Amino acid sequence: GIYREGKSSQFSLTQVFSRNDTDNPIFPTSGSNFSLSMEMSGGPVLPGNIDYHKWQLQTEWYLPLFGGNRFALYLGSTYGFVGDFYKESVVPPIELFFMGGTGLGYIATTPLRGYEDQSVGPRNVNGEIVGGKAMTKQTAEFRFNVSLNPIPIYLLLFAEGGNVFESMARADFFTLKRSAGFGARLQIQPIGMIGFDYGYGFDDVFPRDGKPDGWKFHFVFGRGY
């Protein structure tokens, strides 16, 4: 099973390498953002009986369009992997990958618009999502800056695809659950960035009925990607 019976103790270390040279924190039009996080729990170095290593890579690129600062193209890629140190290692569910929706109110969930929250990924025999040890997501957005003052507002068109896999050995990073749609963002102080996305899921994910998942409305708090 996923859960370990009895008491467990966990000691972990996390290292994050990041670099950001974007030109604007609210509406970037040029530059890139790179982040690599590595986490080790237990294993041959640390104490405890929870043993795994976890890797997450995220890259973001911003390109100006039409020679100004009102239009921008955003390209994002995310990869994740959880590995075992030993054959008998049990990875806690909170450290596995889940995907779908906006991720609001859910732990360890990668957003994927056009699908219900935590609907993408491996399921058990009862049809319940159990999380996976490998994940990928690819996003492209075309953005239009409506206003930066006094309230920053921008509109967007997006296309993205992602998936969660039981293990790296069974991962097929070319088999993605695809979606496309449109949305908007506005910056409201002191709340931060809020908005909405209306996305169409092209694949049959949940419930399995032989039809595309279709249109889904998503309220977004933060950037939402």
Side-chain angles (χ1 to χ4, degrees):
I2 294 178
Y3 292 94
R4 182 193 297 268
E5 296 183 357
K7 295 183 178 179
S8 299
S9 61
Q10 180 178 0
F11 295 83
S12 62
L13 291 174
T14 302
Q15 177 70 56
V16 178
F17 297 94
S18 63
R19 179 189 60 82
N20 188 334
D21 65 352
T22 56
D23 62 340
N24 188 304
I26 297 176
F27 186 78
T29 57
S30 65
S32 62
N33 189 10
F34 169 90
S35 175
L36 173 64
S37 69
M38 300 169 288
E39 179 184 0
M40 180 177 66
S41 176
V45 178
L46 299 174
N49 58 353
I50 302 296
D51 306 288
Y52 65 88
H53 52 97
K54 185 175 183 178
W55 306 73
Q56 294 187 82
L57 171 66
Q58 183 174 14
T59 62
E60 299 177 334
W61 300 88
Y62 300 90
L63 304 172
L65 299 176
F66 311 125
N69 62 355
R70 299 188 69 88
F71 297 90
L73 176 66
Y74 163 81
L75 301 173
S77 295
T78 303
Y79 299 91
F81 167 66
V82 179
D84 305 320
F85 280 112
Y86 313 110
K87 290 184 178 180
E88 66 275 11
S89 296
V90 176
V91 180
I94 194 175
E95 300 297 343
L96 298 175
F97 297 109
F98 299 86
M99 183 175 289
T102 63
L104 286 176
Y106 293 86
I107 297 175
T109 300
T110 302
L112 186 65
R113 294 163 287 190
Y115 300 96
E116 297 290 348
D117 291 301
Q118 289 196 344
S119 64
V120 176
R123 298 177 179 270
N124 59 21
V125 294
N126 297 319
E128 301 168 332
I129 284 287
V130 295
K133 294 183 177 180
M135 172 271 292
T136 185
K137 178 186 172 183
Q138 311 296 326
T139 301
E141 285 188 0
F142 173 75
R143 300 177 177 178
F144 168 60
N145 167 25
V146 177
S147 170
L148 286 180
N149 288 301
I151 299 178
I153 302 173
Y154 69 84
L155 308 178
L156 61 91
L157 299 173
F158 73 86
E160 62 187 7
N163 211 344
V164 176
F165 308 94
E166 181 180 351
S167 64
M168 183 62 79
R170 298 189 176 185
D172 181 358
F173 292 117
F174 295 99
T175 301
L176 305 179
K177 306 306 179 183
R178 304 154 299 159
S179 67
F182 59 91
R185 300 289 186 274
L186 64 156
Q187 182 86 6
I188 300 178
Q189 299 297 344
I191 299 175
M193 185 166 289
I194 63 173
F196 74 88
D197 289 317
Y198 201 45
Y200 185 89
F202 292 101
D203 294 287
D204 180 16
V205 172
F206 182 80
R208 288 295 183 93
D209 55 7
K211 302 177 182 179
D213 276 24
W215 290 102
K216 299 288 186 301
F217 177 84
H218 305 285
F219 174 77
V220 181
F221 184 78
R223 298 190 181 278
Y225 51 84

